[in-house]
Amino acid sequence: MEHALSPATLSELRRPRLYPAVSVLTPTHRREPDNAQDPVRLRNVVAEARKQLESDPSVTRERRIDVVDQLDRALAEVDLAHTEDGLVIFAAPGEHQVWSLARTVPERVVLSDTFLTRNLVSAQVAERPFWVLSVSSDRVTLWNGGVDRVTEDRTRGFPMERSFENFDAERREQIGDTPSAYRDEDTKHFLRAADTAMTKLLRDDPRPLIITGEPAALSLLDEFAGITRQAVQVPHGGLAHGTPEAVWQAVRPVVDAEARKDADSVARELDTARGRKEFAAGVDEVWQSAREGRIRLLAVEENYRVTVRDDGDHLVPAESGDLDAREDIVDEIVEQCLETGADVRFVPDGSLDDANGIAGVLRY
């Protein structure tokens, strides 16, 4: 199952497909007893997708068989023992993908000529993604970080590894001393290659960067004047060979501190916007401003959800399952704001009580 959404991946997902491109969404649960319902809900929503394919007269028999086969393959890849808060399956002629999201999604089946990506986009922003690079003299490991965990990223040439002989076995035997690996030219070349690879990754998928390693390793990276200029350094050795939990515990204080700093910054911007009459609050007012491209900064509480319907002039409250109900309007707003170049921030629940969970700073 996929977790990390890079700009290149999102662009690929958004390209037009042969009809039908099927998007299947269902909420999932991490813990008992709620997760007991997940297998049944998943089977039911996939069955609904098959039903819609069967009843759509514009879908040829050959294409229907292809897409149903892709749905079956996707279903076989789902690991409900390791799901998060939402699951998205994409299937189209000749392809399928399964995405696990750390943000809930409405139960839905959509047939179109593109995949439904707004829930992925919103979940990715809410995750506040970051990179962790753990360096040592013989291994450099890349970690994909989110709100409450890190996972190893084994793409883009990572992990980088090398082997080397003892520098001076006779000397180590005599005096029990080994010269620092970080004074070795081969180590310098190795870490410079890692610096170059990470620089390219940050151009392709820019995120905050944390670097972990022994002080000597971090000092050597500083000499290159590359990735360390935009990174937070955590002097902690051994994590290039460590477990995801060990890495998470090492970087968690930095992540928590940055989250607090970010929430304080958003609060100050919203207060300033109020004084300047550049402030929008509540889902209806924010949605109107988002559609007009007026929002410069969008702030959303982490677990804010609301179901509405559009009466033509405004968004009005609705119940889940109502005709024309829009259960993921917040995700729609997030994607719309990102499309118009806005900065989107998720803040702790309760931070926007006076704005009913969602607020924006306007451009004009």
Side-chain angles (χ1 to χ4, degrees):
M1 295 191 295
E2 304 286 345
H3 296 268
L5 184 67
S6 69
T9 301
L10 178 60
S11 178
E12 166 61 19
L13 286 174
R14 282 177 165 170
R15 69 172 174 81
R17 259 82 178 171
L18 289 173
Y19 185 87
V22 182
S23 302
V24 177
L25 291 73
T26 185
T28 52
H29 304 84
R30 302 184 188 219
R31 300 176 183 86
E32 297 179 343
D34 293 331
N35 61 5
Q37 64 184 283
D38 292 348
V40 175
R41 294 189 69 163
L42 177 59
R43 286 196 301 271
N44 288 344
V45 74
V46 171
E48 173 61 25
R50 292 194 187 99
K51 180 180 177 181
Q52 290 192 26
L53 286 167
E54 290 280 352
S55 60
D56 190 332
S58 63
V59 180
T60 64
R61 179 178 181 276
E62 180 183 12
R63 197 166 291 175
R64 182 178 67 249
I65 291 172
D66 186 348
V67 176
V68 168
D69 178 61
Q70 296 297 330
L71 282 171
D72 289 341
R73 294 186 186 188
L75 193 59
E77 293 176 11
V78 174
D79 182 3
L80 289 176
H82 297 92
T83 55
E84 298 170 280
D85 303 305
L87 187 70
V88 178
I89 293 175
F90 295 134
E95 63 174 318
H96 68 272
Q97 291 190 32
V98 180
W99 288 83
S100 177
L101 308 182
R103 183 169 168 81
T104 191
V105 298
E107 190 166 282
R108 170 178 294 172
V109 174
V110 177
L111 274 61
S112 184
D113 57 0
T114 58
F115 292 137
L116 184 68
T117 60
R118 62 173 171 257
N119 306 95
L120 271 67
V121 171
S122 184
Q124 179 78 352
V125 177
E127 272 275 88
R128 295 191 291 271
F130 59 91
W131 295 116
V132 180
L133 193 70
S134 296
V135 301
S136 69
S137 61
D138 64 338
R139 182 181 172 92
V140 177
T141 306
L142 178 66
W143 308 91
N144 178 45
V147 170
D148 57 1
R149 70 192 184 288
V150 300
T151 56
E152 186 175 354
D153 190 308
R154 288 182 164 267
T155 60
R156 307 171 180 89
F158 291 99
M160 301 175 64
E161 296 178 294
R162 75 181 186 108
S163 59
F164 52 87
E165 307 262 338
N166 288 333
F167 293 95
D168 190 336
E170 185 177 345
R171 176 181 177 184
R172 191 176 77 165
E173 230 176 76
Q174 290 175 350
I175 62 176
D177 177 39
T178 301
S180 170
Y182 300 102
R183 293 200 297 269
D184 176 62
E185 284 300 317
D186 287 341
T187 301
K188 291 181 181 180
H189 290 311
F190 176 63
L191 291 188
R192 186 179 291 278
D195 183 275
T196 300
M198 194 67 212
T199 298
K200 181 179 185 304
L201 172 57
L202 290 172
R203 283 198 302 266
D204 296 339
D205 191 355
R207 304 182 192 178
L209 172 63
I210 301 172
I211 305 176
T212 75
E214 297 176 17
L218 299 178
S219 178
L220 181 55
L221 283 176
D222 278 336
E223 292 180 17
F224 304 148
I227 55 175
T228 58
R229 290 178 298 179
Q230 53 187 312
V232 176
Q233 298 185 23
V234 176
H236 189 307
L239 297 179
H241 295 271
T243 64
E245 181 60 23
V247 175
W248 170 244
Q249 292 304 326
V251 303
R252 184 174 184 174
V254 172
V255 175
D256 289 346
E258 289 299 314
R260 289 192 296 270
K261 186 191 304 182
D262 189 56
D264 290 344
S265 172
V266 170
R268 288 193 298 271
E269 287 209 54
L270 292 174
D271 284 342
T272 300
R274 282 190 183 93
R276 294 178 177 173
K277 311 295 185 185
E278 298 172 352
F279 181 76
V283 66
D284 182 46
E285 188 175 344
V286 169
W287 173 236
Q288 299 285 350
S289 299
R291 288 195 299 177
E292 296 165 1
R294 296 177 58 203
I295 293 183
R296 177 174 63 81
L297 168 67
L298 176 71
V300 186
E301 290 187 358
E302 290 170 349
N303 292 298
Y304 176 64
R305 288 282 178 179
V306 62
T307 301
V308 299
R309 62 179 176 82
D310 190 343
D311 71 358
D313 296 316
H314 297 281
L315 298 180
V316 297
E319 296 294 327
S320 178
D322 283 357
L323 185 64
D324 297 329
R326 298 163 79 164
E327 298 183 41
D328 54 355
I329 188 65
V330 174
D331 290 356
E332 287 190 53
I333 291 172
V334 168
E335 186 173 53
Q336 178 66 38
C337 287
L338 289 170
E339 289 291 326
T340 55
D343 185 12
V344 177
R345 313 276 189 89
F346 280 81
V347 298
D349 292 342
S351 302
L352 302 173
D353 280 347
D354 57 346
N356 295 318
I358 188 168
V361 176
L362 304 180
R363 292 189 171 101
Y364 56 91

